[in-house]
Amino acid sequence: MIREAVIVGAGLGSRLKDMTKDRPKGFLELDGSYLVEMSIKKLLEHGIERIIIGTGYCSEWYEKLAKKYPAIETVHNANYAGTGSMGTLEVCAAKVTSDILLLESDLIYDSVALFTLLNDHHRNVVLGSGATNSGDEVYIAVDENIEVAAISKKLEMVGKSYAELVGISKLSYKTLQAMCSFAASHHQDMPKMEYETALVGAQKMGEHLFVRKVNYLAWREIDDASHLEMATKEILPRIQENESIRQVRREVLLNPGPATTTDSVKYAQVCADICPREEEFGQMMRWICDELTLFIGKKEDYETVLFAGSGTLADEVMVSSCVPQDGKLLIINNGSYGQRLAKIASVYKMDYEVYESSTYEAIDLDALGKKLDEGSYTHLAAVYHETTTGLLNPIPQIGRMCHDRGIVTIIDTVSAFSAIPIDMERDCIDFMASTSNKCIQGMAGVCFVFCNRKELEKLKGEPMRNYYMNLYDQYQYFSKTLQTRFTPPVQILNALRQAIIETKQETIEARYTRYTACWNILVDVVKELGLEMLVKEEEQSHLITAILEPQDGKYSFEEFHDLAREQSFTIYPGKLGNINTFRIANIGDIQPHEMEQFAQFMREYFRK
Ligand SMILES: *Cc1c(COP(=O)(O)O)cnc(C)c1O
């Protein structure tokens, strides 16, 4: 699996004259976007976690870009004017830790280029295309194994051209090191070495370097004004058409999970088969656990444990694993999911009590405090965000009340995690459960429990109430072996990895802002239409809204649902005792303009 990319972007771009007077080539604009930024988005969409950019000329442009993309790290080649692209690659190589994709900064390309290289079974692959007739070709000649024989701008130097060099390659860590040692031995005689020369040099030193040719690849390197014009008029429209053909039909899910996902998360499931017992896969699961942990706290203090299953499984893991035999659990029930926690405790015949509270009004914290003082509770279980109604429970306050009394907290954050910023230490949460298919915006099938390490360690030696769902047993086994005790859903985990990359890019704070923007649009139209919400605005989560069904005899949920569905919106009924509501969730990869479209649909439906 390739996780790192290097972009060499130090060059002066002098052939572009005035266009690069104030900026590096990568910042030429095409259709309102920077060349290099288009490339960075594609890399992120293809599962690249870390992008190292070698800068030189006008490096401040890259530094500014790095602020917008947490995955970017810049390294400056101070001697950029005196070296070629290899000098910049040498500076970057010091930061590289694994196999890489290597790219030039002045390229536009169809993302199928990345897919092809990432899926090629050779470790070292140089991407080639059919004839471009661009007037600036770099030719590649190959031997009988389709390995690189020569690379040159001069056709006579390569003899017979097999393909044209695109400027995107996949290289093993070892080959990159070989290129660097080749370059180091030629610093004197070839100070301005291009990386292509080092590629051929590494090949001569015994590295195997294959060429993968994609005949009709849409791509263009931009070195002068005529290239820019060609890119704008011919190449970019082709790329856009190709990429739009590969888009998955858009469905906007306004149900409370599974949530709408990006195409890149969907496509992440299409990956090479792998035995999950391979070290590589174990390392990926380790990465997933660590990155999930970093969203909620420090790795030294918290740990994330993965399970195969939906959110309910994670709830059952917590309730059945976190309360010792002699413990006593208080469960707050103010909605379906609180009730579910109580149901789980009853199935395991645990020592528990239920604290009932209104399903649509805020919990009375004074009364809860009294309850906590009365019983000798060791643990408290509650739901952060009651997805049934959209009621947000004041978990940080409840957590504080519990910790002040030495009570361990077990929180269902299935529909809150990755939307509402949570800091487990600050919010006094010891264990919390969530799932891959809600606000983290992955596919259904994986769930996880975040654990306060100290509390997790206390579970050692506790009799197990079940096997598959035992938290400590899974934690301990995974820590030792990097394996789960069961077959993990490989493709779903790949999708989760992609969803994490995208969450890191967006940040949880910005995601909550986006969700809130969508919610505001919804609330505005609800009020405009004179509809009523079940929960007071200030007590809502901004993630899901329960709206009372109109008493008008002409309204039918089925009709409303079916008409919405025709416009690719999926909505959800919600019954709460004898109160009929319909529910609109605004979690997932939903943009405000789509919520506007839904708002317009509601206007038309309810006015009629
Ligand atoms: C969705 C949800 C669950 C259950 O998750 P499943 O994936 O359907 O098992 C549990 N708790 C809350 C708060 C939820 O929103």
Side-chain angles (χ1 to χ4, degrees), residues 256 310-312 315 337 340 383 385 387 412 414-415 435 437-438:
S310 77
T312 305
D315 279 342
Y337 292 108
R340 187 173 290 187
V383 177
H385 164 223
T387 323
D412 167 339
V414 176
S415 62
T435 172
N437 67 267
K438 285 191 180 170

Side-chain angles (χ1 to χ4, degrees), residues 329-334 353-358 363-372 377 380-381:
L329 177 64
L330 181 68
I331 301 168
I332 298 178
N333 174 15
N334 61 347
E353 271 178 45
V354 179
Y355 180 81
E356 305 280 353
S357 178
S358 159
I363 294 175
D364 178 345
L365 291 179
D366 291 336
L368 177 67
K370 287 205 188 84
K371 181 78 186 164
L372 289 174
Y377 305 108
L380 172 128

Side-chain angles (χ1 to χ4, degrees), residues 318-319 323 329-333 338 341-342 379-383 395 402 407-412:
M318 288 197 306
V319 173
V323 187
L329 177 64
L330 181 68
I331 301 168
I332 298 178
N333 174 15
L341 294 173
H379 290 67
L380 172 128
V383 177
I395 291 301
C402 289
I407 296 171
V408 175
T409 53
I410 296 174
I411 309 296
D412 167 339

